[in-house]
Amino acid sequence: MKVAVLGFGTVGVGVWDMLEKAPGFERGLVLVRAGKENEPFKVSSMEAICNDESIDAVAEVMGGVEPAFTYVSMALKAGKHVVTSNKALVAAKGVELNRLALENNVSFLFSAACGGAVPFLHNLSIAALDDEIE
């Protein structure tokens, strides 16, 4: 599975390094700020990631709600799985992003953003597929 990374700060570099050693994973493009594209794998255009058919998934490690929400939405609409640890993004836009993932038959994974609530949120998301929750 080829994974793109959104953001190349401390966490992004860490994810990038881990992908190199992770069996079954391949490093894809990295989204950076304009002017920081000093390596062939760094791009400042989210369209480059969305249009790259070899990229299967995106790891969002930018933080904040915007532009992370816009970029994650674009990735989901392009048929890319997304994983994030961005608490602000999940709190503000998680329901909408989960809906986009379902509509595009991809995964939106965010357990790293939820800590102790992970078992509850996972079970709740499964129950929501078949049950009406009030």
Side-chain angles (χ1 to χ4, degrees):
M1 174 177 280
K2 194 170 195 176
V3 181
V5 179
L6 308 185
F8 208 55
T10 301
V11 177
V13 170
V15 170
W16 179 256
D17 290 343
M18 288 173 49
L19 284 169
E20 182 178 31
K21 300 171 189 131
F25 290 95
E26 181 182 347
R27 298 190 297 189
L29 298 172
V30 175
L31 184 69
V32 296
R33 289 186 183 120
K36 302 283 186 178
E37 315 94 327
N38 57 357
E39 300 282 343
F41 63 88
K42 294 179 182 178
V43 298
S44 61
S45 164
M46 188 60 195
E47 288 82 6
I49 291 171
C50 291
N51 294 333
D52 186 334
E53 293 183 13
S54 71
I55 294 175
D56 304 298
V58 171
E60 184 276 316
V61 294
M62 300 172 65
V65 177
E66 282 297 345
F69 172 69
T70 299
Y71 295 158
V72 168
S73 296
M74 290 172 67
L76 293 169
K77 290 175 184 176
K80 315 287 185 198
H81 302 285
V82 174
V83 61
T84 185
S85 60
N86 185 337
K87 293 169 186 59
L89 177 64
V90 173
K93 300 290 188 173
V95 172
E96 187 173 345
L97 292 170
N98 195 55
R99 180 185 50 76
L100 276 174
L102 289 170
E103 288 173 1
N104 291 282
N105 201 31
V106 292
S107 298
F108 174 62
L109 304 174
F110 53 87
S111 61
C114 303
V118 171
F120 172 75
L121 291 173
H122 175 72
N123 291 336
L124 184 62
S125 66
I126 292 171
L129 295 174
D130 297 321
D131 297 328
E132 183 176 326
I133 300 173
E134 297 181 19

